[in-house]
Amino acid sequence: MSTEKVVVSNYQEMAARAAEIVLQRMQEKPKLVLGLATGSTPLGLYERLVESYKMGKTDFSQVTTFNLDEYCGLAKNHPQSYRYFMDKYLFSGVNIDYRRVHFPSEVEDGDEYEQKIMEAGGIDLQILGIGRNGHIGFNEPGSDFKSRTRVVDLTEMTIKDNARFFTQPAEVPRQAVTMGLATIMDAKEILLLVSGSGKAAVMERLMMKKPSVDVPASVLHSHTKTTIIVDKKADGGQRDLPSSL
Ligand code: PGA
């Protein structure tokens, strides 16, 4: 298997190790092409990247980013959009050139997103979180390992779970656009971050090492350079996210 698992003591250490890797890659290649994820898991990483920029230690001016996924039909500045999340937790805190920021919802279709990624030279480093059901991006169980950027229907459970974030039921997105599993696998390097006991069951299924569409993240076992940074609780224990998350 070509995935390496690094077990760290807690969420903060996971974030610090991830930041070390990202900052090192940025130093090696100022024009780094980064694949980015949303969710609570990468927040500590983004916090550290902003901190490093504020201390004058890093420069995002030539970095290109491609986000993994986005809801369909939400305005860029909607507080539930992933674009808003990225602006809030990373982009507004660093000197990124917004012309080099990409979201799959901001192009005509999936093919155009794939084209843009190719034109940028491909993704050098993709950051990923994992869902409790093994999803990466919006590639839910059953997603084809050959899938590429596309629009997907959200499950009824996701739609229901999201309803509390919206004032009107009609506002709740029913579809999202996501990089496919094959798109993710094209990244030269992948960093999968996993924290907390809530992820322990899926981690166990993932580490059974049998690629299966039931656990979409298991596709990563055939990737050439994937590092899984997992804290002790996700590796079998209790959730340890900062209380602010
Ligand atoms: P989380 O979400 O980082 O908020 O746990 C991960 C995911 O569902 O992909």
Side-chain angles (χ1 to χ4, degrees):
M1 113 164 179
S2 34
T3 50
E4 184 199 357
K5 185 175 87 166
V6 178
V7 183
V8 294
S9 54
N10 54 35
Y11 179 87
Q12 298 301 345
E13 203 188 322
M14 176 199 74
R17 291 291 280 272
E20 242 171 63
I21 294 173
V22 175
L23 292 169
Q24 194 182 336
R25 298 294 178 268
M26 283 177 64
Q27 204 143 47
E28 292 161 359
K29 185 178 177 183
K31 290 187 173 173
L32 197 74
V33 180
L34 264 178
L36 298 174
T38 52
S40 54
T41 310
L43 275 179
L45 159 64
Y46 297 154
E47 223 171 79
R48 282 164 177 78
L49 296 182
V50 170
E51 206 172 277
S52 169
Y53 169 72
K54 296 226 156 109
M55 287 165 74
K57 290 186 182 166
T58 187
D59 175 20
F60 281 79
S61 64
Q62 296 186 74
V63 168
T64 297
T65 65
F66 287 92
N67 262 80
L68 253 188
D69 49 10
E70 177 61 287
Y71 291 121
C72 293
L74 286 192
K76 260 173 147 170
N77 59 353
H78 191 290
Q80 291 307 320
S81 76
Y82 290 169
R83 172 69 197 233
Y84 182 93
F85 176 102
M86 291 307 308
D87 281 343
K88 180 170 176 185
Y89 293 109
L90 181 62
F91 300 151
S92 64
V94 299
N95 64 335
I96 194 115
D97 179 345
Y98 276 93
R99 288 170 304 182
R100 282 193 265 274
V101 165
H102 303 280
F103 276 77
S105 50
E106 293 171 13
V107 288
E108 246 343 276
D109 55 23
D111 290 347
E112 194 183 331
Y113 204 54
E114 300 273 339
Q115 184 68 28
K116 280 199 185 291
I117 294 173
M118 242 168 53
E119 283 166 10
I123 292 173
D124 293 306
L125 178 60
Q126 175 69 53
I127 309 300
L128 291 178
I130 185 172
R132 287 168 201 237
N133 64 359
H135 73 204
I136 45 179
F138 270 113
N139 296 286
E140 299 295 345
S143 296
D144 197 316
F145 281 4
K146 294 196 184 73
S147 55
R148 309 224 59 115
T149 306
R150 67 202 185 288
V151 171
V152 293
D153 292 328
L154 301 184
T155 60
E156 277 311 314
M157 194 191 282
T158 305
I159 296 168
K160 234 169 97 187
D161 284 351
N162 284 342
R164 67 184 191 280
F165 301 120
F166 297 86
T167 43
Q168 300 292 329
E171 250 196 321
V172 187
R174 308 192 77 84
Q175 288 187 315
V177 54
T178 183
M179 280 186 201
L181 294 173
T183 321
I184 293 169
M185 288 292 281
D186 281 347
K188 292 162 202 151
E189 180 174 7
I190 296 174
L191 207 48
L192 172 65
L193 308 181
V194 194
S195 171
S197 61
K199 300 285 170 69
V202 76
M203 244 334 264
E204 204 178 319
R205 290 176 73 203
L206 179 62
M207 295 323 287
M208 290 193 320
K209 297 174 194 166
K210 275 197 216 114
S212 150
V213 294
D214 296 338
V215 183
S218 66
V219 71
L220 299 175
H221 288 306
S222 33
H223 191 262
T224 47
K225 197 176 180 191
T226 288
T227 307
I228 305 175
I229 307 181
V230 53
D231 68 13
K232 277 189 189 140
K233 288 177 179 175
D235 206 41
Q238 282 169 22
R239 195 158 174 86
D240 184 37
L241 285 176
S243 53
S244 61
L245 301 178

